[in-house]
Amino acid sequence: MAGNVGMEQLIPVVNKLQDAFASLGVPLSLDLPQIAVVGSQSAGKSSVLENFVGRDFLPRGSGIVTRRPLVLQLFHSKQEYGEFIHCKGRVFTDFDLIRKEIEQETDRLTGKNKGVSNIPINLRVYSPHVLNLTLIDLPGMTKVPVGDQPPDIEMQIRNMLLEFISKENCLILAISPANSDLANSDALKIAKEVDPLGLRTIGVITKLDLMDEGTDAKDILENRLLPLRRGYIGVVNRSQKDIDGKKDIRSALVAERKFFLSHPAYRHMADRMGTSFLQKVLNQQLTNHIRATLPSLQNRLQSQLLAMEKEVEEYKQFRPDDPTRKTKALMIMVNTLGQDLDKSIEGSGSQVNFEELSGGAKINRIFHEQFPFELVRMEYDERELRREITYAITNIHAIRTGLFTPDMAFEAIVKKQVERLKAPALKCVDMVVSEMTSVIRKCTEKMGRYPHLREESERIVNQKIRENEQKTKDQLILLINIELAYMNTNHEDFIGFANAQQRSEAVVKRKVGNQVIRKGWLSLHNAGMLKGMSKDLWFVLTAENIMWFKDDEEKDKKYMLPLDNLKIRDIESGFMSRRIIFALVNSDGRNVYKDQRQLELSAENQEEVDGWKASFLRAGVYPEQTNKKYGDEKGRDDYDQSQSNPQLERQVEVIRSLVASYLGIVNKTIKDLVPKTVMHLMINNLKEFIATELLAHLYSTGDQSSLMEESAEEALHREETLRLYHASKEALRIISEVNTSTVSTPVPPPVDDEWIKPDIPRALSNGNVASFTRSANSRSSISLPAVPQRPEPLSQPKSV
């Protein structure tokens, strides 16, 4: 396939761009414009399209020959052949067979008696002489049905044309024969409907050689009579006699050139007429389109280069077997691990986690929310405690009737309760260990390029964490054992026996005003809603009550609930529920909210629920204790008997007040010392170990070369980065070369084309006219590259 020299000159330009971007792994989509030909029957549309491609392959004849849209997709390829989508697997190397297949496929769907169809024939042509383009040959416009054509043939063809030429990426070649009235050209009228500004419409005048003797189209071709914004191009196609005589396109182009040079009306503009100039104009459109896409590509490549500069500079000096480099890299990695761990714990890191708590923030929550909550969960059952005190006093008195409250009963009960503090203290250590392990795993991600180093570092650091864990647990057990070793009843906060007798039976909650403790969103589940339904509300917890509002503006208050006698109850979430549910209940069994025994609340995750539970603890709302069932009737009788013994009951009350006072002192001490102990023995010790000893441990593990051996992924990443860097520079060079070796033309100024009156078909009603015109105007907002207006000469592109 040959004949379009301009297109062939563009092929190396596009190939260079595509090769450069293919090496970058980035697909280059230039999205070149489609080119569609429209006009009346036998106006020469197919001939113009053939001449642009440079090959003879379309059906010819009189009347309506193109009766189905032909979508011709051109693909640049090393071999030349064609294939139809409806003939999968069949390759056509003879273009005469392609013409016959088009005729047969048209007849198969429309019959042989001039019928038409809007179902396109899709032909793909592969050739080394074409660009990746889409050309569309459309049926000729007609008003009078013939043969098997339906009465509304005009509307059918019109809608068919609009379906293709309304696309903003479609150049319209409006074909008009010179021997007809141009002012009534159907092609120009329908083109103006979809392109009122004339930015993508090029007028093509055919059959100049068939005009009556003494007449010419000089004024039209000079764009003075009936002007178009992009002007007109005159062409002379082969006649039916030439086609029957097997006159090829090359010979036809020579004859066309001779016609314009010898004709007295056209010889002064012969260089701006003919198929060759039409090819040049359309190729210039393709050049303009390519140039218009280059600035954004150039900016993207320059940004990519800047991002890679620092990394590439390091890779350029990279020597894999250099021991100095390995030693330096090892020291940098260990130092970075220590810095990242310190930043993660102290909260000064540049990378902030926006999804969840981590590092120091997570450990802070463990210290001040989860650990205190675990302590409160160990709270004794009141009935069980009083029963134990009763037994202790009675057994200590033994056979004697006690006149005084025994100290031994107080000490025995306190020791039993203090012993129970070991479990939450050890659990606090376990939670911190889990978080520290996660932090170390996160901090060693930067060692990913050295997998052996990362694996060994994690092993050594985690081993140190386990050692510190055991030391910390031993120290905490020692602290609790110290508390058990001696009961300091002279402590300044201890109430003593004298004050214990004056204490009330109820536990009074200590509050400082009605301060706000926490605010946040929670879901309310069972407040007058259907089963399984919930509603998100804004909750405000204070020292005396909990309120909820419609939103966080706190203007529309829904309810306020006092905290007196409230307890927290854990509730199992439903099988399909992802939310964590808990409830507020009344300790005396009364309704909490309206007719509800419990107020069910939920949050998105366990951390949020733990935070709310810790806040409720600060407000004096504690977890609900499950009532224990006493194992035998005798024990219950003994406890009930103590209530009928005034002296014993008074002694139980005194011991109960003393135990509460002393345990308050112990809990306060433990809550203060456990976080300090964990911080000192585990976290600070680990940071010091990484800073001073980790490097020595790594050197003692074995061969440094194997330790600092790069992963295959890192070596591949380095090679890929260098390749992308050089490919980006090459792509920028090619873009610069394309910019300097091609030129673009400006958009010609508007002209007065009001002479073109859109021809609205009779089948359109008045209402449809307005809507159609609006849609046409909305589709024509594209600004395609320019084609020069005659009589000014076209700027010649530089050779590529």
Side-chain angles (χ1 to χ4, degrees), residues 287-311:
T287 302
N288 291 348
H289 183 85
I290 293 171
R291 285 175 59 88
T293 62
L294 295 184
S296 61
L297 297 175
Q298 192 171 22
N299 291 337
R300 186 170 65 180
L301 288 174
Q302 288 174 340
S303 299
Q304 184 171 315
L305 276 177
L306 288 175
M308 291 190 295
E309 282 286 354
K310 184 177 180 180
E311 191 175 11

Side-chain angles (χ1 to χ4, degrees), residues 175-193:
I175 312 295
S176 303
N179 55 359
S180 65
D181 184 6
L182 185 63
N184 294 315
S185 170
D186 295 329
L188 293 175
K189 289 179 180 179
I190 196 170
K192 186 171 183 180
E193 291 176 12

Side-chain angles (χ1 to χ4, degrees), residues 432-456:
V432 174
V433 167
S434 176
E435 182 58 26
M436 288 298 296
T437 304
S438 300
V439 170
I440 291 299
R441 189 182 306 112
K442 183 72 176 176
C443 291
T444 56
E445 286 181 356
K446 293 183 180 179
M447 294 182 175
R449 59 188 297 185
Y450 305 109
H452 296 299
L453 174 63
R454 180 178 183 180
E455 179 181 351
E456 198 63 27

Side-chain angles (χ1 to χ4, degrees), residues 514-528:
N514 192 26
Q515 63 181 359
V516 175
I517 297 176
R518 188 184 184 98
K519 295 182 179 182
W521 291 98
L522 287 173
S523 289
L524 185 60
H525 284 261
N526 61 336

Side-chain angles (χ1 to χ4, degrees), residues 469-680:
E469 175 188 7
Q470 191 57 48
K471 290 181 181 178
T472 305
K473 288 183 175 180
D474 291 343
Q475 182 64 28
L476 293 179
I477 292 175
L478 177 61
L479 285 175
I480 296 175
N481 287 338
I482 290 172
E483 292 288 345
L484 292 170
Y486 177 66
M487 301 290 112
N488 182 15
T489 55
N490 286 327
H491 194 282
E492 59 184 2
D493 294 333
F494 186 60
I495 61 173
F497 277 87
N499 294 329
Q501 296 177 357
Q502 302 174 8
R503 294 296 294 265
S504 167
E505 186 178 64
V507 177
V508 179
K509 292 183 287 186
R510 185 163 59 102
K511 302 174 183 177
V512 182
N514 192 26
Q515 63 181 359
V516 175
I517 297 176
R518 188 184 184 98
K519 295 182 179 182
W521 291 98
L522 287 173
S523 289
L524 185 60
H525 284 261
N526 61 336
M529 289 172 281
L530 296 176
K531 185 176 179 60
M533 300 293 291
S534 64
K535 186 175 183 180
D536 290 340
L537 295 168
W538 180 259
F539 282 77
V540 177
L541 175 64
T542 69
E544 296 181 355
N545 50 59
I546 182 169
M547 302 169 283
W548 52 92
F549 301 82
K550 179 180 179 181
D551 51 43
D552 54 4
E553 294 182 0
E554 299 182 13
K555 294 180 180 179
D556 185 5
K557 183 190 290 186
K558 296 297 184 182
Y559 200 78
M560 183 172 70
L561 182 66
L563 299 181
D564 296 329
N565 299 322
L566 291 188
K567 296 288 184 180
I568 298 176
R569 174 183 294 173
D570 290 328
I571 297 180
E572 291 187 6
S573 301
F575 177 72
M576 298 297 293
S577 176
R578 297 183 178 180
R579 301 182 68 87
I580 311 300
I581 304 177
F582 66 100
L584 297 177
V585 299
N586 220 318
S587 58
D588 55 10
R590 292 184 292 108
N591 291 344
V592 176
Y593 172 67
K594 296 183 180 179
D595 60 345
Q596 301 294 328
R597 288 282 184 178
Q598 61 184 21
L599 188 70
E600 295 182 7
L601 306 172
S602 71
E604 292 182 353
N605 52 59
Q606 187 64 52
E607 287 186 357
E608 191 73 15
V609 170
D610 289 344
W612 275 100
K613 287 181 177 179
S615 298
F616 275 112
L617 291 181
R618 291 177 57 194
V621 179
Y622 296 95
E624 181 186 36
Q625 297 294 328
T626 304
N627 291 330
K628 297 183 180 180
K629 295 182 179 179
Y630 301 106
D632 56 84
E633 293 294 329
K634 183 177 183 302
R636 186 180 298 109
D637 292 342
D638 291 340
Y639 176 71
D640 293 338
Q641 183 179 358
S642 71
Q643 292 182 320
S644 62
N645 185 340
Q647 182 178 351
L648 179 60
E649 185 178 354
R650 187 167 54 253
Q651 291 177 345
V652 169
E653 195 59 44
V654 170
I655 296 295
R656 171 67 185 85
S657 297
L658 292 172
V659 169
S661 175
Y662 196 82
L663 287 180
I665 296 172
V666 174
N667 282 344
K668 185 177 180 180
T669 303
I670 294 299
K671 279 196 286 188
D672 182 57
L673 287 179
V674 167
K676 292 179 178 179
T677 304
V678 172
M679 194 71 192
H680 174 68

